[in-house]
Amino acid sequence: MKTLFEGLVLVHGRQDVGKTSFILGAGPKSSEYAFIDGDIKGKQIAEEFQSEAPFGMYVDLFHETRDMKEIEYYNYCMGIIDNIKEGQFEAIAWDNWSKFENTLQPYVLENMGKFRKYWSAKGDIKGAQVWQSANEYEAAIIDKILHKTRMLLISTPMKPEKINGKETGRWVPDCKKPLIEKAQMRLVLKHNPNS
């Protein structure tokens, strides 16, 4: 079965709304999926999906990287991305992207010479430059993955919105600007309060 939708599909939701089940059920058959599982409960769901047909690739990212620091985790994830060949999988599902996304700013800080020749000496400007470089780098990584597959499904949790350090009572997606800008479709899954 071919994918019904091409490009980046971004799925947000609070805990236990079915993000993993959705991203695994929204694409082709299991054998045409690469499932990068960074969620504590993902393995159980993955086993249920694989009971009928195994995934083309399954990475238990949560357990394989348990004690890794940011840069180790970044290197491990980039190794996974680099080892996927163009056209190898009809779809790639990454559940949950947030931990990997949070390694990109530390990676930029540790490798500043790769991103800019000159950085501002002024702290607040330099901080903004690091943030911008991390966002640009994340966009490049997303593009790299999208060139390897027809459909990229990424899940992220929700987090309480804060303005000036105070919670507003609203929940917002726990992801940065590049994911939102690159997504062809964004879905927010919610519990039905009447269910």
Side-chain angles (χ1 to χ4, degrees):
M1 181 177 102
K2 295 293 183 192
T3 55
L4 299 176
F5 188 88
E6 292 191 22
L8 172 59
V9 177
L10 189 52
V11 181
H12 311 292
R14 290 172 72 171
Q15 188 174 358
D16 294 326
V17 295
K19 296 183 298 294
T20 305
S21 295
F22 180 87
I23 67 171
L24 293 179
K29 61 185 178 183
S30 297
S31 62
E32 295 175 345
Y33 255 102
F35 179 31
I36 302 162
D37 177 13
D39 191 340
I40 191 169
K41 297 177 300 180
K43 190 170 186 179
Q44 179 184 351
I45 295 167
E47 287 170 357
E48 290 171 19
F49 271 84
Q50 291 193 92
S51 64
E52 293 180 20
F55 290 115
M57 181 177 89
Y58 175 72
V59 180
D60 186 357
L61 195 59
F62 179 81
H63 291 98
E64 292 173 15
T65 63
R66 181 168 285 174
D67 298 320
M68 289 185 183
K69 303 235 182 324
E70 291 101 332
I71 301 302
E72 289 176 286
Y73 189 85
Y74 161 85
N75 287 329
Y76 194 89
C77 291
M78 288 305 295
I80 294 166
I81 293 167
D82 290 339
N83 285 326
I84 295 173
K85 294 175 180 62
E86 188 175 330
Q88 184 177 1
F89 303 107
E90 189 74 12
I92 297 171
W94 196 307
D95 178 40
N96 141 5
W97 179 263
S98 299
K99 185 173 179 181
F100 175 61
E101 183 179 62
N102 289 331
T103 68
L104 300 180
Q105 191 166 349
Y107 179 78
V108 169
L109 281 167
E110 192 166 283
N111 298 277
M112 293 174 76
K114 290 183 179 180
F115 294 92
R116 281 181 183 258
K117 187 171 182 180
Y118 300 105
W119 295 85
S120 175
K122 195 171 180 190
D124 57 344
I125 295 174
K126 183 177 179 181
Q129 290 173 330
V130 169
W131 177 81
Q132 181 183 11
S133 293
N135 280 347
E136 290 168 355
Y137 187 44
E138 181 176 9
I141 291 169
I142 295 165
D143 280 341
K144 182 176 187 173
I145 301 170
L146 284 169
H147 279 93
K148 294 180 180 230
T149 189
R150 291 167 52 97
M151 185 180 201
L152 173 60
L153 298 116
I154 289 178
S155 78
T156 72
M158 303 289 277
K159 64 181 179 181
E161 180 183 55
K162 288 185 181 180
I163 297 177
N164 298 325
K166 294 185 181 178
E167 290 189 9
T168 65
R170 292 182 57 219
W171 287 75
V172 295
D174 186 11
C175 66
K176 295 181 175 54
K177 190 174 170 183
L179 265 188
I180 292 169
E181 289 179 342
K182 293 280 183 186
Q184 276 80 28
M185 181 186 294
R186 290 177 62 207
L187 302 166
V188 177
L189 302 185
K190 296 182 178 181
H191 286 289
N192 181 349
N194 302 315
S195 174

